[in-house]
Amino acid sequence: MIDLRSDTVTKPTPAMRQAMFEAEVGDDVYREDPTVNRLEARAAEIAGKEAALFVPTGTMGNTIAIKVLTEHGQEVICDSRAHLLDYELSMMAWFSGCLVRAIPTERGLLSWDAVRRQIRPVNPYGAPTGAVAVEQTHNMAGGTVYPMSTLCEICDGAHERGVRVHMDGARIFNASAALGIPVHEIASRADTLMFCLSKGLGAPSGSILAGPASLMDKGRLYRKRLGGGMRQVGMLAAAGLVALEESPAKLVIDHANAKFLAEGLAKVPGVQIDPSKVETNIVVFDVSATGHAPADVSARLRQRGILMNAINDRCVRAVTHYDVDRAQCIAALEAVTETLLETQAATTASAKTS
Ligand code: TLP
């Protein structure tokens, strides 16, 4: 199988497995796991924040971030296809008691102008704005990257209005590779940053929430409430440490593979994708004009040994990562091309007979 469903499917490298085997561990609820402590210190340094918290998943990291930045009954502004909104089981509402003020965007990227118009002051009717959430890179919009200028405008504008900003940087290392800007600079104006060790960086699991020490102290308690007190979890932290040092430099290969896929897909009749807009490792392509449902395309590809997910009623998503090389991307592209052409041939033939 060539698995392009997500970069979450990456398997730990031999160096990660070795580090896990050798990891020194202790009880992390007592803060006595030396490897977790090292990971949190290193992650805080990379994020350019005072402190960091090792959490089991990105979803938990985002959930805790929203909780520590907001109060019950406030609104969180985000783009309408944000992971926080569409893929986290309404945790903003369930755990933090917040409403979402979703802004539709073309490429998943908010602008200060759009955010500004949605910030609500305290008044006798509306829910006040508690936080703004930005997704860097934006997953469902196709790995799009916020330019620094837009991020700065949003963060500075929000702060002037007394509103804090969370960055869902699940793939911030991809943004860093694409922009050529270090992670700490990209996240510098956001109050909190979540990033995943378990996506393109390849650790088996785990994410980081980073921010001011006072908020991370509160976050530690919420992590425990959510069931994230993981005890001798230094074994996972050890893989995370290797991921942080070894993986970021390799992401450009994934980006080149994604661009290659996008360029090939753009040549398939009926497929809609602009390869110039594929900046990182996510390729979202619209198959609606091929006359076939994305779920069918995904099922047919599976029969050919290629895994890609349908993400809505128009689009299929392919995510490149280090467990899929260029030769496998070539094979995947051939399979998609043949599948879609077969489909089109069948549709044309049945249209002729009817
Ligand atoms: N994304 C997953 C799925 O949940 C869709 C994927 O396959 O891409 N923020 C962003 C931007 C994400 O893409 C994800 C996971 C998360 C948060 C949550 O991370 P986990 O899966 O660790 O909870």
Side-chain angles (χ1 to χ4, degrees):
M1 285 288 183
I2 298 175
D3 196 345
L4 292 157
R5 284 172 301 173
S6 182
D7 45 10
T8 58
V9 302
T10 40
K11 307 262 169 48
T13 62
M16 288 177 200
R17 290 172 192 266
Q18 188 61 34
M20 292 171 83
F21 179 68
E22 289 168 2
E24 247 191 291
V25 297
D27 191 325
D28 180 49
V29 174
Y30 295 128
R31 303 188 70 166
E32 286 173 5
D33 189 304
T35 314
V36 173
N37 293 342
R38 268 203 298 135
L39 173 66
E40 289 182 346
R42 180 71 184 121
E45 188 179 36
I46 290 171
K49 303 289 179 208
E50 239 182 335
L53 198 56
F54 183 41
V55 287
T57 63
T59 300
M60 193 188 285
N62 280 339
T63 297
I64 295 172
I66 297 302
K67 183 71 189 163
V68 298
L69 293 178
T70 61
E71 286 171 18
H72 240 72
Q74 291 188 323
E75 278 191 359
V76 176
I77 296 176
C78 62
D79 129 89
S80 63
R81 287 176 288 169
H83 194 278
L84 265 160
L85 172 59
D86 278 349
Y87 294 89
E88 299 189 10
L89 294 126
S90 73
M91 282 303 269
M92 286 194 276
W94 193 82
F95 192 63
S96 299
C98 287
L99 283 176
V100 173
R101 182 64 52 180
I103 301 180
T105 63
E106 205 189 316
R107 302 187 63 230
L109 311 178
L110 297 169
S111 66
W112 167 240
D113 196 42
V115 171
R116 181 182 55 77
R117 282 187 263 125
Q118 298 300 339
I119 289 185
R120 284 157 194 247
V122 177
N123 71 58
Y125 306 106
T129 305
V132 177
V134 292
E135 192 170 311
Q136 173 76 313
T137 66
H138 195 291
N139 184 348
M140 291 299 155
T144 48
V145 182
Y146 271 99
M148 277 310 292
S149 54
T150 312
L151 282 179
C152 292
E153 274 170 30
I154 293 173
C155 294
D156 293 351
H159 289 152
E160 266 172 39
R161 306 281 289 267
V163 173
R164 292 189 287 191
V165 180
H166 171 59
M167 184 176 286
D168 175 350
R171 298 186 177 83
I172 196 170
F173 287 89
N174 295 89
S176 171
L179 292 169
I181 296 175
V183 165
H184 67 85
E185 210 174 310
I186 297 175
S188 59
R189 282 173 155 94
D191 297 272
T192 49
L193 165 70
M194 186 285 288
F195 67 76
C196 294
L197 299 163
S198 60
K199 299 201 164 53
L201 300 191
S205 64
S207 293
I208 296 290
L209 178 64
S214 59
L215 293 187
M216 294 304 105
D217 285 345
K218 276 192 196 161
R220 198 171 287 281
L221 303 181
Y222 289 122
R223 183 183 71 174
K224 188 72 171 62
R225 278 201 169 104
L226 287 165
M230 294 185 288
R231 308 293 179 185
Q232 286 73 23
V233 72
M235 300 178 87
L236 288 179
L241 277 162
V242 175
L244 283 177
E245 301 317 320
E246 291 191 350
S247 304
K250 297 187 226 153
L251 295 174
V252 286
I253 300 171
D254 304 341
H255 296 184
N257 283 337
K259 184 73 107 183
F260 168 82
L261 277 178
E263 281 165 356
L265 287 165
K267 293 186 191 131
V268 181
V271 170
Q272 290 168 50
I273 181 166
D274 179 350
S276 71
K277 298 207 166 119
V278 175
E279 298 166 275
T280 58
N281 68 327
I282 302 182
V283 184
V284 172
F285 55 104
D286 185 329
V287 295
S288 55
T290 65
H292 217 280
D296 292 338
V297 175
S298 172
R300 281 165 176 257
L301 286 172
R302 181 178 276 272
Q303 287 165 2
R304 292 173 176 263
I306 310 294
L307 301 181
M308 289 184 190
N309 280 341
I311 56 163
N312 52 38
D313 61 358
R314 301 176 71 91
C315 296
V316 175
R317 182 185 77 153
V319 185
T320 56
H321 52 79
Y322 69 62
D323 280 332
V324 173
D325 62 18
R326 177 57 67 94
Q328 290 171 309
C329 287
I330 292 172
L333 184 58
E334 275 168 14
V336 178
T337 309
E338 282 166 22
T339 302
L340 292 173
L341 291 180
E342 262 172 23
T343 306
Q344 284 170 355
T347 316
T348 320
S350 73
K352 274 188 188 150
T353 30
S354 56

